[in-house]
Amino acid sequence: MTTITNHMPTKELQALDAAHHMHPFTEDAALAKKGARIITRGKGVFLTDSEGNEILDGMAGLWCVNLGYGRKELAEVAARQMEELCYYNTFFQTSHVPAIALAAKIAELAPGDLNHVFYAGSGSEANDTNIRLVRRYWDVKGKPEKNIIISRKNAYHGSTMGGASLGGMSGMHAQGGLPIPNIAHINQPHWYAEGGDMTPEEFGLARARELEAKIEELGADRVAAFIGEPIQGAGGVIVPPSTYWPEIQRICDKYGILLIADEVITGFGRTGNWFGSQTMGIKPHIMTIAKGLSSGYAPIGGSIICDEVYNTVAGSGDDFNHGYTYSGHPVASAVALRNLEMLEEENVLDHVRNVAHPYLMERWQGLTDHPLVGEAKLVGLMGSIALTPNKETRAKFASDAGTVGYMTRERCFANNLVMRHVGDRMIISPPLVIKPSEIDILIERATRSLDEAYAKIKAEGLLKAA
Ligand code: PXG
C-alpha cells in the first residue's frame, strides 16, 4: 500500500476516507458521494485544506483550539513527556507528576472549594463519571434512591450512553434506546425561539421554575442533581436570560440537589472568565471539563469536584469502582498543564475581555442590520445569530428547521469561513487568541455568506414565515 500523505491528490484521499473512515454525526453514504473536505494544517486561527484554501476557523475546531493552531511549545512538551514517561496509569495506588501537577493547577484556577479532579479522556466520559459520582455520593449518604438527574431538552453533554442520555437531543435519543433510566428533562431557557410574548426576564424565571416543578413532581428525595451548560453550546449558543441561573441556584440550594455545570465549552476562558459558572454567577458542586483544558492538543477531560462530594465518596470506606485506562494520561496532562500556563503567561483572558470580545461584539451586533438576522448574541467569544424571515415576530421559516441555516453554512464553507449552523442559528467560537484584523476577516466572510444565502433563499422562495 502506498503511504498516505498530505501530498496525495484530494480525490484519492476522499476515496480512501469514504472507503474506510466512518464519521461522527454523519450520513456517511451521502458524504462518500460528495467527498469530505480534507484539512491538512493549521496556524493561528487559519486552517489549510488539501486544495490549498486558507480557511478562517470560526469554531476553534470543535470549540477547543483556544490557543490557536501550530503552537510549537505544546508539541515540544508532548514530545518530552513521551520520551520521559509515555504512559502510566493512576489506578492501583500509583500516580505521576503530570497528573499531580495538572490537578493542582486546575484546583488553583477553579473557584471555591472545587479542589479535586477525576480525569477522563473526553467530556462525554467525564459526564459518565458524573452520573456515577453523584449517585455514589447519595448512596454513601444513605439515600440510594436519590438517583435521578435532571437535565434540559436541547442540552449537549456528550455521545456516550450516559452523556447522550443527559443530553436533550431528540435525534440522539431516537437511536440506541436512550435515555438510560432515571434521567429527566425540562425545557431549555431559549427565549428567542420559545419565549413568546414574555420578556426575557419573565421567561428565564419561568423556565428555571420548571426545575422546581420537576423536583416537586419526582420528590426531592429522588433527585440527585441538576446538570446544565452555563451557556448551551451545541444547542445553538443559547445565552439564558439573566434571571435564569440565579433561580436555578436558589432551587438547587432549597431542595438539596447537587449542581453540575458542564463547562466543556465554557471552561478555560471561553466566556472571558476561567469558567462560565463565574460569568453566570453560579456555584456548582461539580464541573465537567475537556476541550479548552488542552486547547484540543491532546484528548483529555475530567470532573472538578467540591470538598463535600469528594470527602463523602473518598471517605466511604470502599473503592469508587470507576476509571479509564487514560485517566490522567501523562502526555495529555503535560500538554494541558502547559496550555493553562500559556493562557496565563499570554494574558489570554484579558485579551478576550478587553480586546477580542468588545471588538467582535460591535461587529457581531452590526450583523443585525442584515435582513436575515434577528438577533446577535456574544458572551466572551461564543456567539450566535438567529436567522429569521421576520425580525419583529422572531418567526421561524416555513421550510424545515435548518434548511436556511444549512444553505448559509454552505456559503460560509465556500467563502473559507468555518461558521456552523444549528437549525437556523449560526454559531461561532473562534480561537481565544483571535486578533481584531482577523475578526474583520471573519465578519467580512460572514457578511458575504449571508448576502449570498439571502439571494438564494429569496430566489428559491424560502423567505416565508411558518
Ligand atoms: N459537554 C458539552 C457541553 C459539550 O459541548 C461534551 C460534553 C462532550 O465532550 P466530548 O469530548 O466527549 O465530545 C461536549 C462536546 C457540536 C459539537 O456539533 C459539540 C461537542 C462535540 C461534538 C460536536 O457543536 N461538544
PDB file of all heavy atoms in Angstrom, residues 120-131 156-164 166 172 262 264 288-290 301-302 324:
ATOM      1  N   ALA A 120     -10.732  12.059  32.872  1.00  0.00           N
ATOM      2  CA  ALA A 120     -11.339  11.238  31.827  1.00  0.00           C
ATOM      3  C   ALA A 120     -10.625  11.574  30.513  1.00  0.00           C
ATOM      4  O   ALA A 120      -9.760  12.449  30.484  1.00  0.00           O
ATOM      5  CB  ALA A 120     -12.827  11.556  31.725  1.00  0.00           C
ATOM      6  N   GLY A 121     -11.000  10.898  29.468  1.00  0.00           N
ATOM      7  CA  GLY A 121     -10.374  11.158  28.177  1.00  0.00           C
ATOM      8  C   GLY A 121     -11.127  12.180  27.350  1.00  0.00           C
ATOM      9  O   GLY A 121     -10.620  12.659  26.322  1.00  0.00           O
ATOM     10  N   SER A 122     -12.345  12.535  27.777  1.00  0.00           N
ATOM     11  CA  SER A 122     -13.192  13.431  26.979  1.00  0.00           C
ATOM     12  C   SER A 122     -14.311  13.975  27.852  1.00  0.00           C
ATOM     13  O   SER A 122     -14.491  13.523  28.991  1.00  0.00           O
ATOM     14  CB  SER A 122     -13.822  12.638  25.824  1.00  0.00           C
ATOM     15  OG  SER A 122     -14.733  11.684  26.362  1.00  0.00           O
ATOM     16  N   GLY A 123     -15.078  14.885  27.283  1.00  0.00           N
ATOM     17  CA  GLY A 123     -16.213  15.439  28.008  1.00  0.00           C
ATOM     18  C   GLY A 123     -17.310  14.408  28.242  1.00  0.00           C
ATOM     19  O   GLY A 123     -17.947  14.381  29.302  1.00  0.00           O
ATOM     20  N   SER A 124     -17.534  13.554  27.239  1.00  0.00           N
ATOM     21  CA  SER A 124     -18.560  12.514  27.389  1.00  0.00           C
ATOM     22  C   SER A 124     -18.213  11.583  28.546  1.00  0.00           C
ATOM     23  O   SER A 124     -19.051  11.275  29.397  1.00  0.00           O
ATOM     24  CB  SER A 124     -18.658  11.664  26.116  1.00  0.00           C
ATOM     25  OG  SER A 124     -18.963  12.449  25.002  1.00  0.00           O
ATOM     26  N   GLU A 125     -16.974  11.147  28.554  1.00  0.00           N
ATOM     27  CA  GLU A 125     -16.547  10.250  29.641  1.00  0.00           C
ATOM     28  C   GLU A 125     -16.684  10.943  30.991  1.00  0.00           C
ATOM     29  O   GLU A 125     -17.083  10.326  31.977  1.00  0.00           O
ATOM     30  CB  GLU A 125     -15.083   9.840  29.448  1.00  0.00           C
ATOM     31  CG  GLU A 125     -14.854   8.818  28.361  1.00  0.00           C
ATOM     32  CD  GLU A 125     -13.370   8.460  28.228  1.00  0.00           C
ATOM     33  OE1 GLU A 125     -12.550   8.877  29.076  1.00  0.00           O
ATOM     34  OE2 GLU A 125     -13.036   7.774  27.270  1.00  0.00           O
ATOM     35  N   ALA A 126     -16.332  12.217  31.026  1.00  0.00           N
ATOM     36  CA  ALA A 126     -16.408  12.952  32.300  1.00  0.00           C
ATOM     37  C   ALA A 126     -17.856  13.010  32.780  1.00  0.00           C
ATOM     38  O   ALA A 126     -18.127  12.879  33.977  1.00  0.00           O
ATOM     39  CB  ALA A 126     -15.832  14.349  32.136  1.00  0.00           C
ATOM     40  N   ASN A 127     -18.800  13.186  31.864  1.00  0.00           N
ATOM     41  CA  ASN A 127     -20.201  13.211  32.291  1.00  0.00           C
ATOM     42  C   ASN A 127     -20.686  11.823  32.712  1.00  0.00           C
ATOM     43  O   ASN A 127     -21.529  11.713  33.605  1.00  0.00           O
ATOM     44  CB  ASN A 127     -21.079  13.816  31.200  1.00  0.00           C
ATOM     45  CG  ASN A 127     -21.063  15.337  31.272  1.00  0.00           C
ATOM     46  OD1 ASN A 127     -20.945  15.904  32.363  1.00  0.00           O
ATOM     47  ND2 ASN A 127     -21.175  15.991  30.133  1.00  0.00           N
ATOM     48  N   ASP A 128     -20.142  10.787  32.107  1.00  0.00           N
ATOM     49  CA  ASP A 128     -20.453   9.439  32.605  1.00  0.00           C
ATOM     50  C   ASP A 128     -19.932   9.298  34.042  1.00  0.00           C
ATOM     51  O   ASP A 128     -20.610   8.756  34.916  1.00  0.00           O
ATOM     52  CB  ASP A 128     -19.820   8.359  31.715  1.00  0.00           C
ATOM     53  CG  ASP A 128     -20.667   8.068  30.480  1.00  0.00           C
ATOM     54  OD1 ASP A 128     -21.387   8.985  30.021  1.00  0.00           O
ATOM     55  OD2 ASP A 128     -20.616   6.930  29.990  1.00  0.00           O
ATOM     56  N   THR A 129     -18.731   9.800  34.271  1.00  0.00           N
ATOM     57  CA  THR A 129     -18.190   9.820  35.636  1.00  0.00           C
ATOM     58  C   THR A 129     -19.157  10.549  36.569  1.00  0.00           C
ATOM     59  O   THR A 129     -19.452  10.077  37.676  1.00  0.00           O
ATOM     60  CB  THR A 129     -16.821  10.541  35.668  1.00  0.00           C
ATOM     61  OG1 THR A 129     -15.888   9.813  34.870  1.00  0.00           O
ATOM     62  CG2 THR A 129     -16.294  10.676  37.089  1.00  0.00           C
ATOM     63  N   ASN A 130     -19.667  11.691  36.112  1.00  0.00           N
ATOM     64  CA  ASN A 130     -20.537  12.494  36.985  1.00  0.00           C
ATOM     65  C   ASN A 130     -21.809  11.746  37.373  1.00  0.00           C
ATOM     66  O   ASN A 130     -22.273  11.856  38.509  1.00  0.00           O
ATOM     67  CB  ASN A 130     -20.896  13.824  36.310  1.00  0.00           C
ATOM     68  CG  ASN A 130     -19.684  14.724  36.188  1.00  0.00           C
ATOM     69  OD1 ASN A 130     -18.715  14.567  36.930  1.00  0.00           O
ATOM     70  ND2 ASN A 130     -19.732  15.653  35.248  1.00  0.00           N
ATOM     71  N   ILE A 131     -22.366  11.004  36.423  1.00  0.00           N
ATOM     72  CA  ILE A 131     -23.577  10.231  36.742  1.00  0.00           C
ATOM     73  C   ILE A 131     -23.259   9.252  37.869  1.00  0.00           C
ATOM     74  O   ILE A 131     -23.966   9.166  38.868  1.00  0.00           O
ATOM     75  CB  ILE A 131     -24.094   9.465  35.503  1.00  0.00           C
ATOM     76  CG1 ILE A 131     -24.558  10.445  34.421  1.00  0.00           C
ATOM     77  CG2 ILE A 131     -25.238   8.518  35.905  1.00  0.00           C
ATOM     78  CD1 ILE A 131     -24.935   9.774  33.104  1.00  0.00           C
ATOM     79  N   TYR A 156     -26.433  19.516  25.314  1.00  0.00           N
ATOM     80  CA  TYR A 156     -25.460  18.552  24.801  1.00  0.00           C
ATOM     81  C   TYR A 156     -24.461  18.214  25.897  1.00  0.00           C
ATOM     82  O   TYR A 156     -23.784  19.101  26.419  1.00  0.00           O
ATOM     83  CB  TYR A 156     -24.715  19.074  23.560  1.00  0.00           C
ATOM     84  CG  TYR A 156     -23.928  17.959  22.895  1.00  0.00           C
ATOM     85  CD1 TYR A 156     -24.549  17.087  22.013  1.00  0.00           C
ATOM     86  CD2 TYR A 156     -22.589  17.745  23.182  1.00  0.00           C
ATOM     87  CE1 TYR A 156     -23.857  16.028  21.429  1.00  0.00           C
ATOM     88  CE2 TYR A 156     -21.879  16.689  22.604  1.00  0.00           C
ATOM     89  CZ  TYR A 156     -22.526  15.839  21.726  1.00  0.00           C
ATOM     90  OH  TYR A 156     -21.835  14.787  21.158  1.00  0.00           O
ATOM     91  N   HIS A 157     -24.413  16.934  26.259  1.00  0.00           N
ATOM     92  CA  HIS A 157     -23.472  16.515  27.295  1.00  0.00           C
ATOM     93  C   HIS A 157     -22.610  15.343  26.828  1.00  0.00           C
ATOM     94  O   HIS A 157     -22.017  14.643  27.653  1.00  0.00           O
ATOM     95  CB  HIS A 157     -24.223  16.161  28.579  1.00  0.00           C
ATOM     96  CG  HIS A 157     -24.942  17.332  29.191  1.00  0.00           C
ATOM     97  ND1 HIS A 157     -24.287  18.458  29.642  1.00  0.00           N
ATOM     98  CD2 HIS A 157     -26.264  17.580  29.382  1.00  0.00           C
ATOM     99  CE1 HIS A 157     -25.164  19.334  30.115  1.00  0.00           C
ATOM    100  NE2 HIS A 157     -26.371  18.832  29.964  1.00  0.00           N
ATOM    101  N   GLY A 158     -22.581  15.088  25.516  1.00  0.00           N
ATOM    102  CA  GLY A 158     -21.698  14.045  25.018  1.00  0.00           C
ATOM    103  C   GLY A 158     -22.436  12.953  24.281  1.00  0.00           C
ATOM    104  O   GLY A 158     -23.662  13.004  24.122  1.00  0.00           O
ATOM    105  N   SER A 159     -21.691  11.961  23.852  1.00  0.00           N
ATOM    106  CA  SER A 159     -22.224  10.961  22.933  1.00  0.00           C
ATOM    107  C   SER A 159     -22.118   9.529  23.449  1.00  0.00           C
ATOM    108  O   SER A 159     -22.563   8.601  22.781  1.00  0.00           O
ATOM    109  CB  SER A 159     -21.513  11.092  21.586  1.00  0.00           C
ATOM    110  OG  SER A 159     -22.297  10.530  20.568  1.00  0.00           O
ATOM    111  N   THR A 160     -21.534   9.327  24.621  1.00  0.00           N
ATOM    112  CA  THR A 160     -21.594   8.004  25.248  1.00  0.00           C
ATOM    113  C   THR A 160     -23.035   7.763  25.722  1.00  0.00           C
ATOM    114  O   THR A 160     -23.858   8.679  25.704  1.00  0.00           O
ATOM    115  CB  THR A 160     -20.661   7.962  26.471  1.00  0.00           C
ATOM    116  OG1 THR A 160     -20.950   9.122  27.268  1.00  0.00           O
ATOM    117  CG2 THR A 160     -19.196   7.996  26.074  1.00  0.00           C
ATOM    118  N   MET A 161     -23.315   6.548  26.187  1.00  0.00           N
ATOM    119  CA  MET A 161     -24.680   6.241  26.642  1.00  0.00           C
ATOM    120  C   MET A 161     -25.111   7.209  27.753  1.00  0.00           C
ATOM    121  O   MET A 161     -26.244   7.679  27.762  1.00  0.00           O
ATOM    122  CB  MET A 161     -24.763   4.804  27.168  1.00  0.00           C
ATOM    123  CG  MET A 161     -24.533   3.741  26.105  1.00  0.00           C
ATOM    124  SD  MET A 161     -25.848   3.657  24.884  1.00  0.00           S
ATOM    125  CE  MET A 161     -27.047   2.652  25.759  1.00  0.00           C
ATOM    126  N   GLY A 162     -24.200   7.483  28.666  1.00  0.00           N
ATOM    127  CA  GLY A 162     -24.523   8.404  29.757  1.00  0.00           C
ATOM    128  C   GLY A 162     -24.623   9.838  29.274  1.00  0.00           C
ATOM    129  O   GLY A 162     -25.592  10.543  29.566  1.00  0.00           O
ATOM    130  N   GLY A 163     -23.614  10.261  28.536  1.00  0.00           N
ATOM    131  CA  GLY A 163     -23.582  11.648  28.048  1.00  0.00           C
ATOM    132  C   GLY A 163     -24.783  11.974  27.175  1.00  0.00           C
ATOM    133  O   GLY A 163     -25.425  13.017  27.331  1.00  0.00           O
ATOM    134  N   ALA A 164     -25.108  11.058  26.268  1.00  0.00           N
ATOM    135  CA  ALA A 164     -26.233  11.303  25.362  1.00  0.00           C
ATOM    136  C   ALA A 164     -27.561  11.251  26.115  1.00  0.00           C
ATOM    137  O   ALA A 164     -28.515  11.931  25.732  1.00  0.00           O
ATOM    138  CB  ALA A 164     -26.223  10.281  24.225  1.00  0.00           C
ATOM    139  N   LEU A 166     -27.955  12.242  29.306  1.00  0.00           N
ATOM    140  CA  LEU A 166     -28.039  13.546  29.972  1.00  0.00           C
ATOM    141  C   LEU A 166     -28.431  14.606  28.964  1.00  0.00           C
ATOM    142  O   LEU A 166     -29.206  15.513  29.257  1.00  0.00           O
ATOM    143  CB  LEU A 166     -26.697  13.926  30.601  1.00  0.00           C
ATOM    144  CG  LEU A 166     -26.241  13.137  31.815  1.00  0.00           C
ATOM    145  CD1 LEU A 166     -24.844  13.594  32.236  1.00  0.00           C
ATOM    146  CD2 LEU A 166     -27.210  13.291  32.983  1.00  0.00           C
ATOM    147  N   MET A 172     -30.657  12.144  18.999  1.00  0.00           N
ATOM    148  CA  MET A 172     -29.750  11.172  19.617  1.00  0.00           C
ATOM    149  C   MET A 172     -30.543  10.139  20.420  1.00  0.00           C
ATOM    150  O   MET A 172     -30.258   8.948  20.384  1.00  0.00           O
ATOM    151  CB  MET A 172     -28.726  11.881  20.508  1.00  0.00           C
ATOM    152  CG  MET A 172     -27.745  12.742  19.725  1.00  0.00           C
ATOM    153  SD  MET A 172     -26.619  13.681  20.783  1.00  0.00           S
ATOM    154  CE  MET A 172     -25.434  12.405  21.242  1.00  0.00           C
ATOM    155  N   ASP A 262     -21.733  21.894  33.282  1.00  0.00           N
ATOM    156  CA  ASP A 262     -20.954  21.289  32.199  1.00  0.00           C
ATOM    157  C   ASP A 262     -20.184  22.403  31.489  1.00  0.00           C
ATOM    158  O   ASP A 262     -20.722  23.142  30.682  1.00  0.00           O
ATOM    159  CB  ASP A 262     -21.862  20.541  31.228  1.00  0.00           C
ATOM    160  CG  ASP A 262     -21.056  19.768  30.191  1.00  0.00           C
ATOM    161  OD1 ASP A 262     -19.905  20.171  29.926  1.00  0.00           O
ATOM    162  OD2 ASP A 262     -21.575  18.775  29.651  1.00  0.00           O
ATOM    163  N   VAL A 264     -17.560  22.077  29.529  1.00  0.00           N
ATOM    164  CA  VAL A 264     -16.703  21.529  28.468  1.00  0.00           C
ATOM    165  C   VAL A 264     -16.398  22.600  27.410  1.00  0.00           C
ATOM    166  O   VAL A 264     -15.261  22.717  26.947  1.00  0.00           O
ATOM    167  CB  VAL A 264     -17.346  20.262  27.851  1.00  0.00           C
ATOM    168  CG1 VAL A 264     -16.674  19.867  26.542  1.00  0.00           C
ATOM    169  CG2 VAL A 264     -17.257  19.111  28.849  1.00  0.00           C
ATOM    170  N   THR A 288     -17.840  19.745  34.700  1.00  0.00           N
ATOM    171  CA  THR A 288     -17.301  18.874  33.655  1.00  0.00           C
ATOM    172  C   THR A 288     -16.344  19.717  32.816  1.00  0.00           C
ATOM    173  O   THR A 288     -16.699  20.825  32.411  1.00  0.00           O
ATOM    174  CB  THR A 288     -18.412  18.379  32.715  1.00  0.00           C
ATOM    175  OG1 THR A 288     -19.579  18.109  33.465  1.00  0.00           O
ATOM    176  CG2 THR A 288     -17.973  17.176  31.933  1.00  0.00           C
ATOM    177  N   ILE A 289     -15.161  19.173  32.549  1.00  0.00           N
ATOM    178  CA  ILE A 289     -14.190  19.919  31.727  1.00  0.00           C
ATOM    179  C   ILE A 289     -13.622  19.015  30.625  1.00  0.00           C
ATOM    180  O   ILE A 289     -13.589  17.791  30.766  1.00  0.00           O
ATOM    181  CB  ILE A 289     -13.031  20.498  32.581  1.00  0.00           C
ATOM    182  CG1 ILE A 289     -12.361  19.397  33.419  1.00  0.00           C
ATOM    183  CG2 ILE A 289     -13.543  21.634  33.463  1.00  0.00           C
ATOM    184  CD1 ILE A 289     -11.105  19.858  34.150  1.00  0.00           C
ATOM    185  N   ALA A 290     -13.181  19.621  29.540  1.00  0.00           N
ATOM    186  CA  ALA A 290     -12.499  18.922  28.428  1.00  0.00           C
ATOM    187  C   ALA A 290     -12.015  20.019  27.456  1.00  0.00           C
ATOM    188  O   ALA A 290     -11.634  21.097  27.900  1.00  0.00           O
ATOM    189  CB  ALA A 290     -13.428  17.919  27.743  1.00  0.00           C
ATOM    190  N   GLY A 301     -10.224  15.103  29.502  1.00  0.00           N
ATOM    191  CA  GLY A 301     -11.382  15.712  30.155  1.00  0.00           C
ATOM    192  C   GLY A 301     -11.353  15.371  31.622  1.00  0.00           C
ATOM    193  O   GLY A 301     -10.402  14.739  32.110  1.00  0.00           O
ATOM    194  N   GLY A 302     -12.375  15.770  32.319  1.00  0.00           N
ATOM    195  CA  GLY A 302     -12.418  15.433  33.733  1.00  0.00           C
ATOM    196  C   GLY A 302     -13.566  16.093  34.457  1.00  0.00           C
ATOM    197  O   GLY A 302     -14.359  16.827  33.870  1.00  0.00           O
ATOM    198  N   TYR A 324     -10.738   5.128  33.863  1.00  0.00           N
ATOM    199  CA  TYR A 324     -10.414   4.855  32.467  1.00  0.00           C
ATOM    200  C   TYR A 324      -8.914   4.592  32.320  1.00  0.00           C
ATOM    201  O   TYR A 324      -8.106   5.207  33.027  1.00  0.00           O
ATOM    202  CB  TYR A 324     -10.800   6.053  31.593  1.00  0.00           C
ATOM    203  CG  TYR A 324     -12.223   6.545  31.828  1.00  0.00           C
ATOM    204  CD1 TYR A 324     -12.467   7.680  32.579  1.00  0.00           C
ATOM    205  CD2 TYR A 324     -13.317   5.841  31.311  1.00  0.00           C
ATOM    206  CE1 TYR A 324     -13.766   8.132  32.797  1.00  0.00           C
ATOM    207  CE2 TYR A 324     -14.619   6.287  31.530  1.00  0.00           C
ATOM    208  CZ  TYR A 324     -14.836   7.430  32.274  1.00  0.00           C
ATOM    209  OH  TYR A 324     -16.119   7.865  32.493  1.00  0.00           O
TER     210      TYR A 324
END
